[in-house]
mmCIF file of all heavy atoms in Angstrom:
data_model
loop_
_atom_site.group_PDB
_atom_site.id
_atom_site.type_symbol
_atom_site.label_atom_id
_atom_site.label_comp_id
_atom_site.label_asym_id
_atom_site.label_seq_id
_atom_site.Cartn_x
_atom_site.Cartn_y
_atom_site.Cartn_z
ATOM 1 N N LYS A 14 3.893 -85.666 23.165
ATOM 2 C CA LYS A 14 3.509 -85.529 24.585
ATOM 3 C C LYS A 14 2.763 -86.783 25.046
ATOM 4 O O LYS A 14 2.826 -87.195 26.194
ATOM 5 C CB LYS A 14 2.659 -84.286 24.840
ATOM 6 C CG LYS A 14 3.457 -83.054 24.734
ATOM 7 C CD LYS A 14 2.767 -81.793 25.056
ATOM 8 C CE LYS A 14 3.705 -80.669 24.893
ATOM 9 N NZ LYS A 14 3.201 -79.391 25.320
ATOM 10 N N ARG A 15 2.055 -87.427 24.127
ATOM 11 C CA ARG A 15 1.229 -88.605 24.489
ATOM 12 C C ARG A 15 2.042 -89.866 24.491
ATOM 13 O O ARG A 15 1.899 -90.711 25.338
ATOM 14 C CB ARG A 15 0.040 -88.722 23.570
ATOM 15 C CG ARG A 15 -0.947 -89.759 24.003
ATOM 16 C CD ARG A 15 -2.202 -89.779 23.199
ATOM 17 N NE ARG A 15 -2.915 -88.531 23.367
ATOM 18 C CZ ARG A 15 -3.819 -88.057 22.557
ATOM 19 N NH1 ARG A 15 -4.097 -88.659 21.414
ATOM 20 N NH2 ARG A 15 -4.407 -86.921 22.748
ATOM 21 N N TYR A 16 2.883 -90.028 23.423
ATOM 22 C CA TYR A 16 3.573 -91.296 23.244
ATOM 23 C C TYR A 16 5.088 -91.235 23.275
ATOM 24 O O TYR A 16 5.761 -92.239 23.466
ATOM 25 C CB TYR A 16 3.178 -91.939 21.879
ATOM 26 C CG TYR A 16 1.708 -92.027 21.672
ATOM 27 C CD1 TYR A 16 1.031 -91.221 20.780
ATOM 28 C CD2 TYR A 16 0.989 -92.948 22.410
ATOM 29 C CE1 TYR A 16 -0.322 -91.320 20.595
ATOM 30 C CE2 TYR A 16 -0.419 -93.050 22.242
ATOM 31 C CZ TYR A 16 -1.044 -92.244 21.336
ATOM 32 O OH TYR A 16 -2.383 -92.354 21.144
ATOM 33 N N GLY A 17 5.668 -90.046 23.076
ATOM 34 C CA GLY A 17 7.040 -89.947 22.936
ATOM 35 C C GLY A 17 7.776 -89.321 24.091
ATOM 36 O O GLY A 17 7.334 -89.428 25.229
ATOM 37 N N PRO A 18 8.888 -88.639 23.824
ATOM 38 C CA PRO A 18 9.733 -88.047 24.906
ATOM 39 C C PRO A 18 9.004 -87.000 25.699
ATOM 40 O O PRO A 18 9.486 -86.647 26.798
ATOM 41 C CB PRO A 18 10.913 -87.513 24.153
ATOM 42 C CG PRO A 18 10.653 -87.596 22.694
ATOM 43 C CD PRO A 18 9.457 -88.436 22.485
ATOM 44 N N GLY A 19 7.906 -86.451 25.196
ATOM 45 C CA GLY A 19 7.168 -85.442 25.965
ATOM 46 C C GLY A 19 6.614 -85.946 27.254
ATOM 47 O O GLY A 19 6.146 -85.147 28.108
ATOM 48 N N ARG A 20 6.569 -87.268 27.425
ATOM 49 C CA ARG A 20 6.027 -87.867 28.660
ATOM 50 C C ARG A 20 7.101 -87.978 29.743
ATOM 51 O O ARG A 20 6.779 -88.285 30.874
ATOM 52 C CB ARG A 20 5.470 -89.262 28.390
ATOM 53 C CG ARG A 20 4.342 -89.311 27.414
ATOM 54 C CD ARG A 20 3.854 -90.685 27.172
ATOM 55 N NE ARG A 20 4.973 -91.612 26.912
ATOM 56 C CZ ARG A 20 5.002 -92.869 27.263
ATOM 57 N NH1 ARG A 20 4.007 -93.427 27.894
ATOM 58 N NH2 ARG A 20 6.051 -93.619 26.952
ATOM 59 N N LEU A 21 8.327 -87.758 29.359
ATOM 60 C CA LEU A 21 9.464 -87.964 30.307
ATOM 61 C C LEU A 21 9.541 -86.790 31.318
ATOM 62 O O LEU A 21 8.975 -85.716 31.090
ATOM 63 C CB LEU A 21 10.763 -88.080 29.518
ATOM 64 C CG LEU A 21 10.873 -89.301 28.625
ATOM 65 C CD1 LEU A 21 12.064 -89.215 27.721
ATOM 66 C CD2 LEU A 21 10.876 -90.583 29.445
ATOM 67 N N PRO A 22 10.193 -87.026 32.468
ATOM 68 C CA PRO A 22 10.262 -86.000 33.503
ATOM 69 C C PRO A 22 10.861 -84.683 33.027
ATOM 70 O O PRO A 22 11.879 -84.698 32.290
ATOM 71 C CB PRO A 22 11.153 -86.617 34.564
ATOM 72 C CG PRO A 22 11.193 -88.103 34.293
ATOM 73 C CD PRO A 22 10.899 -88.282 32.807
ATOM 74 N N TYR A 23 10.223 -83.622 33.350
ATOM 75 C CA TYR A 23 10.688 -82.279 33.025
ATOM 76 C C TYR A 23 10.715 -81.908 31.544
ATOM 77 O O TYR A 23 11.386 -81.002 31.179
ATOM 78 C CB TYR A 23 12.011 -81.949 33.714
ATOM 79 C CG TYR A 23 12.018 -82.183 35.194
ATOM 80 C CD1 TYR A 23 12.683 -83.224 35.740
ATOM 81 C CD2 TYR A 23 11.318 -81.321 36.035
ATOM 82 C CE1 TYR A 23 12.640 -83.458 37.101
ATOM 83 C CE2 TYR A 23 11.270 -81.523 37.368
ATOM 84 C CZ TYR A 23 11.940 -82.572 37.910
ATOM 85 O OH TYR A 23 11.914 -82.759 39.252
ATOM 86 N N ALA A 24 10.045 -82.710 30.738
ATOM 87 C CA ALA A 24 9.997 -82.442 29.288
ATOM 88 C C ALA A 24 9.346 -81.122 28.976
ATOM 89 O O ALA A 24 9.552 -80.608 27.898
ATOM 90 C CB ALA A 24 9.326 -83.585 28.565
ATOM 91 N N ASN A 25 8.511 -80.618 29.916
ATOM 92 C CA ASN A 25 7.894 -79.340 29.650
ATOM 93 C C ASN A 25 8.847 -78.158 29.806
ATOM 94 O O ASN A 25 8.531 -77.048 29.421
ATOM 95 C CB ASN A 25 6.705 -79.152 30.608
ATOM 96 C CG ASN A 25 7.078 -79.209 32.042
ATOM 97 O OD1 ASN A 25 8.165 -79.774 32.412
ATOM 98 N ND2 ASN A 25 6.239 -78.691 32.938
ATOM 99 N N ARG A 26 10.059 -78.369 30.294
ATOM 100 C CA ARG A 26 11.085 -77.335 30.364
ATOM 101 C C ARG A 26 11.778 -77.349 29.026
ATOM 102 O O ARG A 26 12.265 -78.402 28.575
ATOM 103 C CB ARG A 26 12.089 -77.630 31.490
ATOM 104 C CG ARG A 26 11.481 -77.521 32.855
ATOM 105 C CD ARG A 26 12.462 -77.828 33.943
ATOM 106 N NE ARG A 26 11.871 -77.808 35.232
ATOM 107 C CZ ARG A 26 12.495 -78.118 36.332
ATOM 108 N NH1 ARG A 26 13.745 -78.478 36.341
ATOM 109 N NH2 ARG A 26 11.837 -78.077 37.488
ATOM 110 N N PRO A 27 11.884 -76.198 28.400
ATOM 111 C CA PRO A 27 12.360 -76.164 26.968
ATOM 112 C C PRO A 27 13.772 -76.768 26.802
ATOM 113 O O PRO A 27 13.958 -77.551 25.891
ATOM 114 C CB PRO A 27 12.387 -74.639 26.680
ATOM 115 C CG PRO A 27 11.350 -74.071 27.574
ATOM 116 C CD PRO A 27 11.402 -74.878 28.804
ATOM 117 N N ALA A 28 14.721 -76.456 27.700
ATOM 118 C CA ALA A 28 16.071 -77.001 27.449
ATOM 119 C C ALA A 28 16.104 -78.507 27.713
ATOM 120 O O ALA A 28 16.771 -79.249 26.995
ATOM 121 C CB ALA A 28 17.037 -76.335 28.401
ATOM 122 N N ILE A 29 15.350 -79.008 28.691
ATOM 123 C CA ILE A 29 15.328 -80.451 28.966
ATOM 124 C C ILE A 29 14.592 -81.157 27.850
ATOM 125 O O ILE A 29 15.043 -82.222 27.357
ATOM 126 C CB ILE A 29 14.579 -80.766 30.323
ATOM 127 C CG1 ILE A 29 15.295 -80.070 31.492
ATOM 128 C CG2 ILE A 29 14.434 -82.242 30.534
ATOM 129 C CD1 ILE A 29 16.717 -80.532 31.712
ATOM 130 N N GLY A 30 13.518 -80.546 27.300
ATOM 131 C CA GLY A 30 12.855 -81.100 26.126
ATOM 132 C C GLY A 30 13.785 -81.155 24.975
ATOM 133 O O GLY A 30 13.776 -82.138 24.176
ATOM 134 N N ALA A 31 14.674 -80.187 24.770
ATOM 135 C CA ALA A 31 15.632 -80.178 23.713
ATOM 136 C C ALA A 31 16.639 -81.315 23.934
ATOM 137 O O ALA A 31 17.083 -81.948 22.997
ATOM 138 C CB ALA A 31 16.395 -78.852 23.644
ATOM 139 N N GLY A 32 16.969 -81.579 25.178
ATOM 140 C CA GLY A 32 17.856 -82.697 25.483
ATOM 141 C C GLY A 32 17.181 -84.013 25.081
ATOM 142 O O GLY A 32 17.831 -84.936 24.517
ATOM 143 N N TYR A 33 15.913 -84.178 25.425
ATOM 144 C CA TYR A 33 15.208 -85.383 24.998
ATOM 145 C C TYR A 33 15.119 -85.493 23.495
ATOM 146 O O TYR A 33 15.246 -86.590 22.889
ATOM 147 C CB TYR A 33 13.776 -85.416 25.578
ATOM 148 C CG TYR A 33 13.751 -85.692 27.065
ATOM 149 C CD1 TYR A 33 12.841 -84.975 27.876
ATOM 150 C CD2 TYR A 33 14.556 -86.631 27.675
ATOM 151 C CE1 TYR A 33 12.798 -85.204 29.246
ATOM 152 C CE2 TYR A 33 14.535 -86.851 29.030
ATOM 153 C CZ TYR A 33 13.647 -86.175 29.844
ATOM 154 O OH TYR A 33 13.569 -86.394 31.172
ATOM 155 N N ALA A 34 14.929 -84.380 22.778
ATOM 156 C CA ALA A 34 14.911 -84.336 21.371
ATOM 157 C C ALA A 34 16.217 -84.771 20.784
ATOM 158 O O ALA A 34 16.317 -85.555 19.816
ATOM 159 C CB ALA A 34 14.501 -82.954 20.835
ATOM 160 N N GLY A 35 17.337 -84.297 21.373
ATOM 161 C CA GLY A 35 18.687 -84.684 20.934
ATOM 162 C C GLY A 35 18.930 -86.167 21.169
ATOM 163 O O GLY A 35 19.471 -86.844 20.255
ATOM 164 N N ALA A 36 18.515 -86.691 22.283
ATOM 165 C CA ALA A 36 18.692 -88.115 22.580
ATOM 166 C C ALA A 36 17.855 -88.958 21.600
ATOM 167 O O ALA A 36 18.336 -89.982 21.095
ATOM 168 C CB ALA A 36 18.349 -88.428 24.022
ATOM 169 N N SER A 37 16.661 -88.472 21.345
ATOM 170 C CA SER A 37 15.825 -89.154 20.372
ATOM 171 C C SER A 37 16.397 -89.183 18.960
ATOM 172 O O SER A 37 16.377 -90.167 18.266
ATOM 173 C CB SER A 37 14.392 -88.554 20.299
ATOM 174 O OG SER A 37 13.765 -88.629 21.572
#
Side-chain angles (χ1 to χ4, degrees):
K14 289 184 181 190
R15 189 173 296 158
Y16 306 110
R20 299 179 312 147
L21 295 171
Y23 304 109
N25 59 339
R26 295 181 182 174
I29 301 299
Y33 288 140
S37 299

